[in-house]
Amino acid sequence: MKNDETSVRPLFNKLVLIGVGLIGGSFALALKKAGMVRHIVGLDRHQAALEEAQQLGIIDSHTFDLASALEGADLIVIATPVAQTTKILEAIYPLLQAHTVVTDVGSTKTDVVIAARQALKEKVAQFVPAHPIAGREKNGPSAALSDLYVGKKTVITRLPENTDHLLSRVAQAWQACGAIIHYLTPQEHDQVFASVSHLPHLLAYTLVADIAAKPHADRLFQYAASGFRDFTRIAGSSPEMWRDISIANREALLQELDSYTEQLAHLRQYLQNADAAALEHVYRRAQEARVNWITAIEAAEAQSRYGGD
Amino acid sequence: MKNDETSVRPLFNKLVLIGVGLIGGSFALALKKAGMVRHIVGLDRHQAALEEAQQLGIIDSHTFDLASALEGADLIVIATPVAQTTKILEAIYPLLQAHTVVTDVGSTKTDVVIAARQALKEKVAQFVPAHPIAGREKNGPSAALSDLYVGKKTVITRLPENTDHLLSRVAQAWQACGAIIHYLTPQEHDQVFASVSHLPHLLAYTLVADIAAKPHADRLFQYAASGFRDFTRIAGSSPEMWRDISIANREALLQELDSYTEQLAHLRQYLQNADAAALEHVYRRAQEARVNWITAIEAAEAQSRYGGD
């Protein structure tokens, strides 16, 4: 029958998910929905999270025994906070079988690649670093959504050692989740996200901390309105997670911060001089760039919703 | 009849609205809805805006003749960009009748008070400065909403010369629009809004301008996601308006900018030293302060929606 011949064959017989929260859980749900995986084994620091993930159908079984989990695994996905990646890769190394692919979902890539080289040694070709550009403000297994990655980008920062075959296994998995694959080098990746994600987080945290430390903080917060709410939304993010990302990507982040601080010093000068024209010039350039960006983003989103594949 | 005795008597027979856009138009619609005004005369630099405002029922008539507009007016509301306030007050001065109250809606108050003293001279007691804390991303008469101010704050920065009677006329008008009246001095007002509104705008504009000026700006914007979108939403605001506000409030804004830059320098040091604990401490303080703030704001909003008056 034609339908049987073209039906989806699971890409993975056994997937090991280390970290069963929002990011890993959404990946698991999406793969299952696409019929791409037969069995998912979950590992996590928290027993309660494992039980919740299993109840929610994110994983099929769970264990604290890495050796049995890795036995016969096709794919290992590390979906923990980035600071734990090294330790996990070190634990995986002696148990890693030749046919297994390892990938991660971390927000920084240069540090992960260095850690993978050190931990996985001659097996590093089996590690394909990835970063899905999606998230929610909620965390944990209950926040996981099967459509979290639909129309979103996943950046793969391939290693020279990765074979096309291994690379395509990871890319196919993310495509099955609805993601669009982009390729960057780890350095390009870290520079890009230092600029458009890590720096804004640092700036928003700094503003709220600055206000909170003032003697009249209560009065200030009392009059903060919707502009402040949006500007500081990312300052509601997990302090541990963003501490780890900031440290892991501190070289690129310092560079972006210095570039920003330099611009801020120019703005200060314009303001000091009451140079309305110079100030307006910067504001206008920003406003036009942002309008262009949001227009492009919204067009792309509309296309991926209605016309895309 | 009891109903007739308690029915609303218009507070104002004739209201002059200078600037018929979002802020002034919403005020007019709300007052009309509350039955608080008999006739609204509109003035605006743009003939098309006046015609649109009249079609939308924001104003009842319009004119370019200030003298005839001010004849017999109870209340004059200046709802133009702040940089025009001085010129308008100067034009009003020789025509201002003894019983007329003048108010404004500007985002800065110290400069407006100085301008009012210079322009209105011995009549300055008739000027009651105000600032409604509400807005939308859209502008113009068609963006005006009769419920824009419901549950929102309006800050009045009274002058020592204002009588309680004149003050209460302006306060009653805003209360009729659904606003909650707060009193601050002009200096308090400008310090508060420099901190929670003007500085965030400047920071967001600077970030987008900084990114837009980089040679690889296209790639950066390509990977900007929802955190960036919210952080930079205010950088989509009118460059002229925010140029004027920045200049008008530059003393307080410089102070807030310097305080912020100092904090940013600390963060840079922590990052340079890879001081994870110090970084996390700042991030955590910010995150906790923001969670507390948003919780309080949402509770207050829920109350004003369901239980409040």
Side-chain angles (χ1 to χ4, degrees):
Chain A
M1 303 280 290
K2 201 179 171 198
N3 275 351
D4 286 342
E5 284 169 357
T6 58
S7 73
V8 175
R9 222 162 45 111
L11 194 60
F12 304 108
N13 276 310
K14 183 179 183 183
L15 188 153
V16 177
L17 183 63
I18 306 178
V20 298
L22 166 68
I23 298 296
S26 297
F27 178 76
L29 287 176
L31 275 193
K32 285 194 161 197
K33 195 174 172 186
M36 285 292 184
V37 60
R38 267 197 228 283
H39 190 92
I40 301 183
V41 186
L43 287 94
D44 201 288
R45 288 177 297 176
H46 306 292
Q47 173 71 28
L50 287 170
E51 283 166 11
E52 193 183 0
Q54 193 157 341
Q55 269 166 11
L56 292 166
I58 291 170
I59 55 176
D60 302 295
S61 65
H62 61 268
T63 178
F64 285 100
D65 177 27
L66 193 63
S68 73
L70 262 53
E71 175 66 35
D74 299 299
L75 181 67
I76 303 167
V77 181
I78 304 170
T80 61
V82 282
Q84 296 171 46
T85 309
T86 302
K87 223 171 46 193
I88 292 168
L89 287 168
E90 285 169 354
I92 288 174
Y93 170 67
L95 307 165
L96 187 61
Q97 296 177 316
H99 73 287
T100 312
V101 190
V102 186
T103 189
D104 78 319
V105 298
S107 300
T108 58
K109 293 270 84 68
T110 311
D111 68 312
V112 167
V113 169
I114 292 170
R117 286 194 190 287
Q118 286 172 350
L120 297 182
K121 303 185 177 73
E122 81 285 358
K123 300 180 182 173
V124 75
Q126 290 171 249
F127 180 68
V128 180
H131 174 206
I133 316 304
R136 300 180 69 194
E137 278 173 274
K138 297 174 178 180
N139 290 307
S142 62
L145 301 170
S146 67
D147 63 353
L148 184 67
Y149 304 114
V150 173
K152 300 289 170 23
K153 298 179 183 71
T154 290
V155 178
I156 294 180
T157 62
R158 77 176 291 175
L159 305 182
E161 294 90 340
N162 293 149
T163 62
D164 286 347
H165 172 68
L166 287 186
L167 197 70
S168 78
R169 303 242 326 144
V170 173
Q172 279 180 296
W174 282 107
Q175 281 166 334
C177 298
I180 300 148
I181 307 298
H182 286 240
Y183 295 95
L184 294 174
T185 68
Q187 291 73 25
E188 285 169 347
H189 172 280
D190 285 2
Q191 188 198 36
V192 164
F193 289 95
S195 184
V196 300
S197 171
H198 310 170
L199 179 61
H201 276 80
L202 186 146
L203 297 178
Y205 277 128
T206 303
L207 182 76
V208 181
D210 184 33
I211 291 176
K214 289 181 196 277
H216 54 298
D218 284 350
R219 177 192 285 159
L220 297 176
F221 281 122
Q222 190 186 357
Y223 292 102
S226 64
F228 183 85
R229 186 190 299 212
D230 288 349
F231 183 89
T232 62
R233 184 178 66 76
I234 50 182
S237 309
S238 157
E240 300 89 342
M241 178 175 158
W242 285 94
R243 172 202 66 193
D244 289 353
I245 291 173
S246 301
I247 298 285
N249 198 24
R250 75 177 198 279
E251 212 166 302
L253 183 50
L254 278 169
Q255 219 173 329
E256 295 306 319
L257 179 55
D258 289 346
S259 162
Y260 181 79
T261 307
E262 200 183 310
Q263 293 309 311
L264 211 52
H266 290 310
L267 269 281
R268 194 198 183 285
Q269 200 55 53
Y270 303 153
L271 207 55
Q272 177 87 60
N273 301 344
D275 187 342
L279 214 52
E280 186 184 348
H281 180 72
V282 176
Y283 287 4
R284 185 170 302 282
R285 202 169 55 189
Q287 189 246 8
E288 286 172 358
R290 189 176 188 283
V291 167
N292 290 342
W293 172 72
I294 203 91
T295 307
I297 285 282
E298 283 172 358
E301 281 181 356
Q303 200 185 6
S304 91
R305 239 189 329 265
Y306 305 115
D309 47 9
Chain B
M1 303 280 290
K2 200 177 173 199
N3 276 351
D4 285 342
E5 283 168 359
T6 58
S7 73
V8 175
R9 222 160 46 108
L11 194 60
F12 304 107
N13 275 311
K14 184 178 182 184
L15 188 152
V16 178
L17 182 64
I18 305 178
V20 298
L22 166 69
I23 298 297
S26 297
F27 178 76
L29 287 176
L31 275 193
K32 285 194 162 196
K33 195 174 171 186
M36 285 292 183
V37 59
R38 264 196 230 283
H39 190 92
I40 301 183
V41 186
L43 287 93
D44 201 288
R45 288 176 297 177
H46 306 290
Q47 174 72 27
L50 287 171
E51 283 166 12
E52 193 184 359
Q54 192 157 341
Q55 270 167 11
L56 293 166
I58 291 170
I59 55 177
D60 302 296
S61 66
H62 61 268
T63 177
F64 286 99
D65 177 27
L66 193 63
S68 73
L70 263 53
E71 176 65 37
D74 299 298
L75 180 66
I76 302 166
V77 181
I78 303 170
T80 62
V82 282
Q84 296 172 46
T85 309
T86 303
K87 222 170 48 191
I88 292 169
L89 287 169
E90 284 169 354
I92 288 174
Y93 170 67
L95 306 166
L96 187 61
Q97 298 176 317
H99 73 287
T100 312
V101 190
V102 186
T103 188
D104 79 319
V105 298
S107 299
T108 57
K109 292 269 84 67
T110 312
D111 68 313
V112 167
V113 169
I114 291 170
R117 287 196 189 287
Q118 285 172 351
L120 297 181
K121 302 183 177 74
E122 80 286 358
K123 300 180 182 173
V124 75
Q126 290 170 250
F127 180 68
V128 179
H131 175 206
I133 316 304
R136 300 180 69 194
E137 278 173 274
K138 296 174 180 181
N139 290 306
S142 63
L145 301 171
S146 66
D147 62 353
L148 185 67
Y149 303 113
V150 173
K152 299 290 170 19
K153 299 180 182 71
T154 290
V155 178
I156 295 180
T157 61
R158 78 175 291 175
L159 306 182
E161 294 90 339
N162 293 149
T163 62
D164 286 348
H165 172 69
L166 286 186
L167 197 71
S168 77
R169 304 243 323 145
V170 173
Q172 280 178 296
W174 282 108
Q175 281 165 335
C177 298
I180 301 148
I181 307 298
H182 286 241
Y183 295 96
L184 293 174
T185 67
Q187 291 73 24
E188 285 169 346
H189 172 280
D190 284 2
Q191 190 198 37
V192 164
F193 290 95
S195 184
V196 300
S197 171
H198 310 169
L199 179 62
H201 276 80
L202 186 146
L203 298 177
Y205 277 127
T206 303
L207 182 77
V208 181
D210 184 33
I211 291 176
K214 290 182 196 277
H216 55 297
D218 284 350
R219 178 192 286 159
L220 297 176
F221 282 122
Q222 190 185 357
Y223 293 101
S226 65
F228 183 85
R229 185 190 300 212
D230 288 350
F231 183 88
T232 62
R233 185 178 65 77
I234 51 182
S237 310
S238 158
E240 300 88 343
M241 178 176 157
W242 285 94
R243 172 201 66 193
D244 289 353
I245 292 173
S246 301
I247 298 285
N249 198 23
R250 75 177 196 278
E251 212 167 301
L253 183 51
L254 278 169
Q255 218 172 329
E256 295 306 319
L257 178 56
D258 288 345
S259 162
Y260 181 78
T261 306
E262 200 184 310
Q263 294 308 313
L264 210 53
H266 290 311
L267 269 282
R268 193 198 183 284
Q269 200 55 53
Y270 302 152
L271 206 56
Q272 177 87 61
N273 301 345
D275 187 343
L279 216 52
E280 186 184 348
H281 180 73
V282 176
Y283 287 5
R284 185 170 302 283
R285 201 169 57 186
Q287 189 247 8
E288 286 172 358
R290 189 176 189 283
V291 168
N292 291 342
W293 171 71
I294 202 89
T295 306
I297 285 282
E298 283 173 357
E301 280 181 358
Q303 200 185 5
S304 92
R305 238 188 333 263
Y306 304 115
D309 48 7

